Amino acid sequence: MFFKQRSHGDGTLSYFYGCGSQGSAVAVDVVAGDVPWFLEEAQKAAVRIRFVIDTHIHADHLSGGRRLAELTGAPYAMHESDIGKVRFPLRGLQDGEVLETGNVVTKILHTPGHTLDSVCLLVSDLRRSQDPWFVLTGDTLFVSGVGRPDLGGSPEEMAGRLFDSIHQKLLVLPDDLEIFPGHAAGSVCGAGLSGKPSSTLGFEKRWNPYLHMDRDTFVATLVADIPERPAEMARIVATNLGSAA
């Protein structure tokens, strides 16, 4: 298995991983302008990009996922709830679905809360174990923080859904599971984010303050601690939906 994390000055994190022995790869949360990097990394690793995935419709940056998918012939994938919202062909991802890329498999976890379409990606390397090795948590769970709840509906309702997603889909997983979020410090997609770009679920259970709150406290705290909205959010979302002029 190979795994690469790409970081940006604004705290955005993207991922490229897959099975080198069988030449199959997945690109996740590609930022516009980074398409050449993914193509170069695929060429260096002698792999074909089989899936291009966005963990949700991004509001803070332009996605390069659709362009990378066009150039590689891979399906561009997001949660199935985005079908009909976007104005381009989309491979809908279902909760519990497993994507196979050689010896590396990716299980889709639908985790609404930051947005209605948010997903996390639970990844296993079958050459090592059937058990998951790491999870890409998108904007659902960060190192020392959680996603903001005001981008997809009522903040109170979305914060409640985020609490349920975290507790029902992520905190039930093994403590030694590595987590790789969609953002680190510098991002406006959550409050209190660490500059460290990865953690383990067990460490977050011990030290992430949001994971020690009951549901009511969690909702009240998130709603009271919402960062400023991303600059040009409306234009960015419209472009990522394919509806910008």
Side-chain angles (χ1 to χ4, degrees), residues 98-120:
V98 175
L99 307 178
E100 297 184 3
T101 47
N103 294 306
V104 176
V105 296
T106 303
K107 184 176 181 179
I108 307 302
L109 305 178
H110 184 212
T111 53
H114 173 66
T115 59
L116 291 172
D117 64 336
S118 290
V119 297
C120 296

Side-chain angles (χ1 to χ4, degrees), residues 108-226:
I108 307 302
L109 305 178
H110 184 212
T111 53
H114 173 66
T115 59
L116 291 172
D117 64 336
S118 290
V119 297
C120 296
L121 307 178
L122 187 63
V123 182
S124 301
D125 179 0
L126 300 181
R127 295 188 68 177
R128 300 195 69 192
S129 172
Q130 297 280 342
D131 294 337
W133 191 353
F134 62 87
V135 58
L136 305 185
T137 55
D139 286 13
T140 298
L141 177 63
F142 298 125
V143 178
S144 82
V146 296
R148 62 188 296 162
D150 64 318
L151 301 181
S154 159
E156 291 81 5
E157 178 187 355
M158 295 298 286
R161 297 192 70 167
L162 183 61
F163 180 92
D164 294 340
S165 290
I166 290 171
H167 283 263
Q168 296 171 12
K169 294 291 184 69
L170 295 178
L171 297 189
V172 297
L173 297 170
D175 282 0
D176 60 359
L177 191 71
E178 296 177 327
I179 69 167
F180 292 92
H183 294 283
S187 169
V188 296
C189 288
L193 278 63
S194 171
K196 190 174 185 297
S198 66
S199 184
T200 65
L201 200 56
F203 196 86
E204 293 308 301
K205 286 180 181 179
R206 290 178 62 192
W207 300 113
N208 188 322
Y210 295 94
L211 304 187
H212 293 268
M213 300 174 183
D214 61 36
R215 196 176 193 274
D216 289 343
T217 304
F218 180 92
V219 170
T221 301
L222 256 63
V223 171
D225 197 24
I226 294 175

